[in-house]
Amino acid sequence: MKILVLNAGSSSQKSCLYEIQPHTDLSTPLEPLWEASIDWTVNDEYGLLKVFANDQKRKIDLPLENKGDGILIMLETITHGHTKVLSSLEEIDIIGHRIVHGGRNYSQSCIITPEVEQAIQDLIPLAPNHHPAHLEGIRAIARTLPHTPQVAVFDTAFHSKIPPEAKVYPIPYEWYEKGIQRYGFHGISHEYVSQRAGKILGKPLEDLKIISCHLGNGSSITAIKNGHSIDTSMGFTPLEGLMMGTRCGSIDPAILLHLMDEYGYDKEQLNHLLNKESGLLGVSQVSADVRSIISAIANGNHQAQLALDIFVHRVKSVIGSMIPSLGGLDVLVFTAGIGENSPLVREQVCAGFSFLNLQLDLEHNNLKCLDQNIARPDSSVDVVVVKTQEDWAIALQTLPFCS
Ligand code: AMP
């Protein structure tokens, strides 16, 4: 079975090809046969296509006018040149797409029919940066492989059953009826890493109270009970919740009114301020990247120290706020760029939960520890670092639709 995964965003397009045999062990992620990405942010005139297959790397500059055709040029490298792994694209059995927003109606993955495509179109107001790019990807593939089924895997779906008290905002109820609610994001990652943590620990998901910390450039935390998301920190949009690279996360909404009244800010300026100029970058004035912030701290930069302190404080606050709804905590999971790679952040976050007898093995935390439990044997809470593999998770969710 050959499954192509496409993650098409506004500034990048990523794709992977997996080959799954009937008896393949699916509990451990497979290496893709071929993978490629196009980054459209490298410079103003070119996108950079990078392809990796057969232990060979290829880099191609794509003129920006070609953005719409980028996906097809990327797919051509599956069947041509030294990254060729298939004789024909027709050998692909099915395509799985990451779709950011499923709205209220899509609580699980599904085959992309004309109705589903229309729903993705109708949800553009809730995901204006992503859904046009998703549709471009779906349509480009439909033109090339009109008879190959395509599957939508929604990033909101895992959170679709969070209970009303976590989902409904305390504003007049009519707004909930009009669709304003907590949707949550990073669901593909949170679902995958919680399942993987269960496997790593050798414990059934049904028995576990898990808090999953997806800490990357975008960050969110999810409480998972019996394998289901029961609360999550991102909300109506991916702006709510934790402090992020350039996003502010949760702030007093009256600050926006104040900026409008006293400083004349308009919608565009507020959007830019909250999404692009805030978070770790905004406070540190150094960088959105934790690595640069840690270097700046080493050089005595106080604002960088403050930015990291706020980040850690907010991660601890959100974890703490979710424990009562879970009724306890069995497993804390760290994933994504910061969660997987920063022993310092993991150590500082875990230190806040020593009152629960969460005991980190500090030595193990500082070693290579991907897909491992880094808690001490006498800890009451397991701490698992999991490499998030959203592409593999999409392939797994696409597989059941193969006929
Ligand atoms: P992601 O969005 O999951 O790709 O995560 C990207 C972020 O991970 C970067 O902006 C960094 O802040 C962080 N990151 C990546 N590598 C490291 C590292 N070795 N130490 C600390 N943070 C890291």
Side-chain angles (χ1 to χ4, degrees), residues 139-160:
R139 289 167 185 161
I141 288 182
R143 282 194 299 276
T144 315
L145 295 170
H147 305 298
T148 310
Q150 304 196 57
V151 173
V153 180
F154 298 99
D155 220 10
T156 48
F158 184 51
H159 306 299
S160 62

Side-chain angles (χ1 to χ4, degrees), residues 201 203 207-210 328-332 380-383:
L201 295 169
K203 294 181 180 169
D207 297 341
L208 294 177
K209 296 164 187 141
I210 301 176
L329 179 61
D330 299 315
V331 188
L332 190 60
S380 303
V381 179
D382 289 318
V383 181

